[in-house]
Amino acid sequence: MSAAPDVARTPRLQSLDVLRGVTIAAMMLVNKQGNGDGYAALQHVPWHGATPTDWIFPFFLFMVGVALPFSIASRRRQGASNGEIMRHAVTRALILFALGVFEKNFPFLTTSLDTFRIPGVLQRIAFCYLAGTAMLLYTTRRQQGVIAAVLLVGYWGLLALVPVPGAGVVPMTREFASQNWTAWVDQLTMGRHLGYGNRTWDANGLLSSLPSIVSLQAGVLAAWMLERGLTAAAARRLALTGLAVLAAGWVWGGFQPLIGLGIIGEPSVASALVFPINKMLWTSTFVLYTSGLAFLCLSGCLWLVDLHRRAATPPRWTFPFIVLGTNAIFAYLASGIAAKLLHVWQVASADGTRLSAWDWAQVHVFAPMIASAPLASLIHSTCYALLWVAICAWMYRRRLFLKL
């Protein structure tokens, strides 16, 4: 029985394009900083907790989930069967996975066939997209809710209560990162083809991909809230759901200290029931916390872009984000590969020393502009992001979009 909502006739969700573009821009500011002296908000939390930087990836998964029912409904209108839709999803997921492996290991100068990294961002998106498509096609909404609950509670139970072979019940602390269940499964399935912890575990590994499916399912839930139209009532439902889910994640996470909406440090409550908010483990509380924030952000974008505009076109300020959001895969891949090339390309300085083109620009162009190293780094990454806004704007005007 299909549970995909009939959303094919819902007006285009421009707010989703905008939110996707904002997320891509934030990714560039985070991943393409001029040097390592960036602001704390632009750094990943090493273990427990989350900064706005840690919101970016789960937001991507959430938005894939929002778009998925629309995509399935559109293909059904064209006469596609469930089997045809699923075969297309498998092909698309395999391509996305292959692109992710290519991007993660490019330019292949420091890896060999026995140590190249398998997991990554696009790889996890491919896995969750395939799982989400299967659930939409072959399960009911109630069954999907049960699956989400089982994944979240089961993942907590496994990490918190079940002994790891040869190690016992492992604390969820950074010191034991290479010994917990996620590391054990990663080492069993991928061996040295990992990227973190001296190749003993991976933040985008196999086991932690299971709760990330729920990050995508949260987006599907948001799409169901929009199936009756892009209305003020829908925006309120999104906001109220976001607040409830955010609160659930914070409470289950042991009331970790809040600075703004960033989660800082260890849980305030010590209990076996507490599941700390942790991106590296992609804990169930991290899923709830970031999904709640994504609901709130989508609600805000819906109000600003789709509901409170006077013209038929979106507000002018949204254009840079729309051009990024409508070509998100291209922007992610191309900007990442180009940055890696700039790090490989060596440039000679006046004193004879050689720097990568990226570091040369930071040292000789951006650092002299201002004394603050974090601000100089932010200016560098902002200029790089604006370059890709210009490239995507050129593509947008010529209707050039990377489609998988």
Side-chain angles (χ1 to χ4, degrees), residues 87-363:
R87 285 191 292 273
H88 176 264
V90 170
T91 301
R92 190 180 186 189
L94 289 173
I95 294 173
L96 198 58
F97 190 94
L99 288 173
V101 172
F102 176 85
E103 183 273 335
K104 191 56 63 178
N105 294 281
F106 183 85
F108 308 101
L109 299 178
T110 60
T111 59
S112 61
L113 288 178
D114 65 329
T115 60
F116 74 95
R117 184 179 173 189
I118 294 176
V121 170
L122 293 182
Q123 296 91 309
R124 175 164 285 182
I125 292 175
F127 174 81
C128 294
Y129 162 74
L130 193 60
T133 300
M135 284 190 288
L136 274 173
L137 292 176
Y138 301 113
T139 65
T140 65
R141 295 186 183 186
R142 182 182 298 274
Q143 289 168 340
Q144 290 167 43
V146 171
I147 292 171
V150 169
L151 286 173
L152 295 181
V153 177
Y155 187 60
W156 160 78
L158 180 64
L159 265 61
L161 305 175
V162 180
V164 178
V169 177
V170 176
M172 284 179 280
T173 61
R174 193 177 183 185
E175 292 75 18
F176 290 89
S178 62
Q179 299 178 43
N180 60 38
W181 269 108
T182 61
W184 189 86
V185 171
D186 284 348
Q187 293 165 26
L188 179 68
T189 56
M190 290 178 282
R192 292 180 56 80
H193 299 288
L194 304 167
Y196 286 88
N198 197 25
R199 297 189 181 275
T200 57
W201 60 280
D202 200 294
N204 295 315
L206 184 59
L207 185 63
S208 59
S209 292
L210 294 177
S212 66
I213 294 172
V214 185
S215 297
L216 183 143
Q217 283 186 280
V220 173
L221 176 60
W224 291 341
M225 294 181 181
L226 297 170
E227 62 184 324
R228 295 181 182 177
L230 309 183
T231 63
R236 286 192 294 271
R237 284 194 297 271
L238 289 170
L240 291 174
T241 302
L243 289 172
V245 173
L246 176 63
W250 184 56
V251 172
W252 192 8
F255 303 95
Q256 286 172 263
L258 287 168
I259 297 181
L261 283 176
I263 298 289
I264 307 299
E266 299 288 330
S268 300
V269 175
S271 169
L273 297 177
V274 168
F275 203 12
I277 293 172
N278 184 306
K279 179 182 183 293
M280 292 298 182
L281 295 173
W282 208 280
T283 56
S284 304
T285 49
F286 178 75
V287 171
L288 296 173
Y289 164 69
T290 53
S291 296
L293 290 169
F295 273 108
L296 291 171
C297 289
L298 181 59
S299 175
C301 281
L302 186 62
W303 276 100
L304 291 173
V305 178
D306 289 305
L307 299 181
H308 288 176
R309 68 186 191 204
R310 298 179 180 178
T313 57
R316 296 178 65 178
W317 64 266
T318 64
F319 181 73
F321 303 116
I322 288 176
V323 301
L324 289 176
T326 52
N327 237 327
I329 295 296
F330 168 79
Y332 175 84
L333 280 173
S335 66
I337 290 173
K340 288 186 176 184
L341 288 174
L342 290 172
H343 278 92
V344 172
W345 178 23
Q346 296 290 305
V347 178
S349 300
D351 60 1
T353 60
R354 298 185 68 81
L355 298 170
S356 70
W358 186 273
D359 291 339
W360 186 94
Q362 178 64 27
V363 171

Side-chain angles (χ1 to χ4, degrees), residues 28-29 31-33 331 333-340 342 358 366 378-391:
M28 292 183 186
L29 295 183
N31 293 346
K32 311 299 183 290
Q33 294 182 67
L333 280 173
S335 66
I337 290 173
K340 288 186 176 184
L342 290 172
W358 186 273
F366 297 102
L378 179 60
I379 293 172
H380 189 171
S381 59
T382 300
C383 290
Y384 189 73
L386 289 174
L387 168 64
W388 287 98
V389 168
I391 292 171

